[in-house]
Structures are given as structure tokens and as C-alpha cells.
Amino acid sequence: MQNQTSPLILSFGAADPAGAMGVQADLAAFSALSCTGLAVTTALLIGDSARVEDLQDIDPDWVADQARVVLEDMTMAAFKVGALTNLEQVAAIAEILSDYPDAPLILDPFSSRLPSPSDDDAEELLTAIRQLLVPQATLVMLSQVELGRLAETWREEDSGEGTLESDVEHLLALGCEYVLVTGTPAGGAQGDAAAPNTLANTLFGGDGVILHDAWQHLTGPFIGAGGTLSAALTAFMARGADVPEAVAAAQEYTVGALAHAQRYGMGKLVPNRFFHLQSAADLQ
């Protein structure tokens, strides 16, 4: 019997029947990048490659028990937290992860595919994520729009809108080590003009901007692109890469997965997470 040698990663997230997002998609990306993934399910989805029609929350005690039983048996090299559906889940997961401060934690809690909760529920959920999970995160990943939504939970109504930089500084001050903001302006730091059809991802740390990478926009529409990026950088960190190195490698991997994306049915294109393991003939 051979002992487990590939890094173990525990992913918290929704179960998607189409495998385009959530924990199934994470496990595929982990496997493609030579890691072994384990999953704690936070919600059961009803959906296909076009849309999610409904979801069923998993009881927070069940979420906690899924994780605790696995963690009593195995040692994780990294953790990823994806979509959560209520503040009780956030509290349960935060308590569990507090026992593993030395393992990298990638926090990617936003998903535009999931049905939106009511305004009050959404604010409570975001506040709980900010207060309980962001301080424990090695890296928080979110789009510029999602950063604005999260920032609304700490801004006073009469204070106006903050800047992207000030919002990132607030998250870093809470205790997370890095913030990766996707969909930022693609021009350079000195205001250089961006090339046409480019998008950028910007990595911030305690000393400000660490990476600002512009990528050519690929024709979609895609489903699961953001989750592919966060899963990939979790895998690279589980294998020992530092954060800037992991972010750079994960972006390269995600661009390749999108460039070779596949249409499963009548919906959106799904990233091909195993593209680099396939022959040219297989990809045609």
C-alpha cells in the first residue's frame, strides 16, 4: 500500500450537478494540478450549464461535521472556501479553520450564478464573511464589483464611495495577507493605455500592488472561470509556491483552460481544466 504523497486540499462550496462550478469543479482543477481534493458541501444546486434554478442549504452542523470527520483523519496542505449561503455556515467554518492557522486559506466566496438572498440576508452574510473569514485568509479573491459590495458593509451611508485601493487596505488591515482583485483597469501603474480587449488582475499585499497582469479578453460566455482561477492558485500554494508565484501560475493555467473551454450542452462554455494533459488531437 502506497502512502498519500500528493498535497491534500479541503474545499468548502456548493455541489453543482453540471460540474461547472463549486466543489466538483475544484476537485477537477486540484487533480489536474497534481493535488488531491476533498469536499465539504455547503449547498445542493439544481442547475445546468446555462443557469442555476434553485439551491438547498446544507445545515451548518452537517457542514461542520463533514469537515471535522475528514480533518481528524487527514492533514491538509491548503483550504479553499467558496460559496456560502448563510451566516451560520460562515461561523461554523471559521471556527474549524481557526484550528489550522498554518495552512494557506484561499477565500473566494462570491458567485454570480447563485440566487441572490434578500438585501438584509446578503448584508448579514457579507458582514459575517468579512468579520470571521477574511481575517484568517491568506488570500481573498474577488472582482472589483464584488469588492464594492463587500465594502458597503463597513462604509457609513454618508461617507460616499471609497477607492479600490482604500477598500483593499481595509481588508488587509483586518488580517488577510493578500487581496487579488479581478477585472481591474488594464492600464499600467503610470496610467499607460491598455491594449484593446484586455482585462487585468491585480494582487495587493502589505506593500501595495505586487502584480498587475493584463490578459486578452476571451470570447465566452464562460461558467466557472473565477472558480478555476481560485482553485488553481490554491493548488499551486498547496504544492509550496508563494502567493505571487501561485497567482502568476494560476492565471496562466486559467487562460489555457478558457482557451480550450468546452460546451457541454446548450449553455455556457465550461473551462477545460485538463487541457494541458491532453494531446493536440484530443483538443481539436
Side-chain angles (χ1 to χ4, degrees):
M1 181 179 294
Q2 182 177 4
N3 290 332
Q4 173 67 43
T5 57
S6 60
L8 298 177
I9 303 172
L10 185 60
S11 177
F12 297 81
D16 174 20
M21 58 165 286
V23 291
Q24 286 96 330
D26 286 347
L27 299 189
F30 298 157
S31 177
L33 295 171
S34 302
C35 294
T36 298
L38 301 99
V40 171
T41 303
T42 59
L44 301 176
L45 306 184
I46 298 175
D48 55 21
S49 61
R51 69 187 63 83
V52 172
E53 296 184 357
D54 203 355
L55 67 80
Q56 175 66 55
D57 290 346
I58 300 299
D59 184 279
D61 289 338
W62 278 66
V63 172
D65 287 346
Q66 288 179 77
R68 290 195 186 281
V69 170
V70 169
L71 290 169
E72 287 172 0
D73 183 42
M74 311 172 201
T75 300
M76 300 300 147
F79 296 91
K80 178 189 171 185
V81 175
L84 307 176
T85 59
N86 57 64
L87 58 89
E88 290 82 6
Q89 286 184 356
V90 176
I93 293 170
E95 181 180 357
I96 290 168
L97 293 178
S98 67
D99 292 333
Y100 304 92
D102 296 331
L105 167 61
I106 307 306
L107 179 60
D108 178 20
F110 289 91
S111 175
S112 60
R113 289 199 81 213
L114 300 186
S116 299
S118 66
D119 290 344
D120 290 342
D121 290 343
E123 184 172 357
E124 287 184 348
L125 178 60
L126 291 175
T127 300
I129 290 171
R130 172 172 60 86
Q131 294 176 341
L132 300 178
L133 287 175
V134 168
Q136 299 190 54
T138 307
L139 182 146
V140 177
M141 181 181 130
L142 68 182
S143 71
Q144 190 168 354
V145 172
E146 293 159 353
L147 175 61
R149 287 172 53 199
L150 186 59
E152 291 175 0
T153 65
W154 69 73
R155 293 180 190 149
E156 296 293 337
E157 291 184 1
D158 58 354
S159 66
E161 293 188 2
T163 65
L164 183 151
E165 289 78 11
S166 65
D167 290 341
V168 168
E169 288 174 1
H170 184 96
L171 295 182
L172 292 170
L174 292 175
C176 69
E177 298 179 37
Y178 298 88
V179 177
L180 177 63
V181 185
T182 61
T184 58
Q190 285 74 42
D192 300 334
N197 298 319
T198 57
L199 298 175
N201 300 322
T202 305
L203 177 66
F204 296 86
D207 295 327
V209 175
I210 297 174
L211 295 174
H212 179 80
D213 297 318
W215 302 91
Q216 184 174 2
H217 178 64
L218 299 175
T219 302
F222 299 102
I223 177 176
T228 302
L229 177 59
S230 58
L233 67 89
T234 306
F236 285 116
M237 290 183 66
R239 289 166 48 183
D242 61 22
V243 170
E245 181 184 2
V247 170
Q251 289 179 115
E252 292 279 1
Y253 168 81
T254 302
V255 169
L258 296 179
H260 297 96
Q262 300 167 321
R263 195 180 300 277
Y264 291 174
M266 296 180 289
K268 298 178 181 178
L269 292 164
V270 178
N272 182 354
R273 298 170 178 91
F274 294 95
F275 74 95
H276 62 307
L277 304 177
Q278 298 171 326
S279 67
D282 292 335
L283 295 172
Q284 290 180 353

